[in-house]
Structures are given as C-alpha cells and as structure tokens.
Amino acid sequence: MFPSAADETLFIHTMLTPEVPADAKSEAHWARSFELIDTGVFNREDLVVCEQSARLSSGANERLILGRLEQNLRRFHGSVEGALQ
C-alpha cells in the first residue's frame, strides 16, 4: 500500500509461489488462489483494516478491536516498544 494523497492509496497485491507453474493446471491453481485472496480476504477484511488503521493514526478513532488471529500485531508492537526502551 502506497499512500499517494490524503484520500488515496495505491494498492498492489503480489503473490509469491514456491516455483514457476510447470503446466496449465498448476498455473490455473495459483490464479484461483490469487483471485480468492485478492477479492475475498483483502477486499472484505484487510483493506478495511488498513483504512481503519490510517484513521487511528489520524486520531479519528479511539480504539480498534483485533481478532484472535491477530496476536502477532501485539508481539510486533511489544518488540518495537522493547527495542525503543
């Protein structure tokens, strides 16, 4: 995500695979995976969270509720705080 203006962000989604697809079946598999992640997870969940995060840093929101599978965010911020101290 690359913010380009106060109300605009360029979003680029790239998916890495273990190897270059060897045949049409493998290529179709990775294309389906990309489509599911891109239109499903990113569009329904991640992009909304990114937008909310930007609002948090602007002071527009006082809090953000994280799901149970987002514990790595807490670890990351704890590591940053520890390093800064």
Side-chain angles (χ1 to χ4, degrees):
M1 301 189 106
F2 303 94
S4 53
D7 62 346
E8 185 175 282
T9 300
L10 173 63
F11 169 69
I12 298 173
H13 174 200
T14 303
M15 184 174 79
L16 304 176
T17 60
E19 67 269 331
V20 175
D23 52 34
K25 181 179 178 182
S26 179
E27 190 169 334
H29 164 78
W30 290 115
R32 281 191 313 274
S33 294
F34 180 88
E35 186 66 23
L36 285 169
I37 293 168
D38 193 54
T39 60
V41 176
F42 284 157
N43 281 338
R44 285 196 305 256
E45 297 176 14
D46 294 346
L47 295 177
V48 173
V49 170
C50 291
E51 183 179 318
Q52 290 174 347
S53 296
R55 285 188 181 143
L56 271 177
S57 64
S58 73
N61 292 329
E62 295 179 12
R63 62 190 173 124
L64 177 67
I65 297 172
L66 300 175
R68 287 184 291 172
L69 298 176
E70 304 297 344
Q71 64 267 36
N72 286 329
L73 287 172
R74 182 169 285 145
R75 286 188 193 120
F76 168 78
H77 287 286
S79 296
V80 170
E81 286 296 318
L84 291 173
Q85 294 173 3

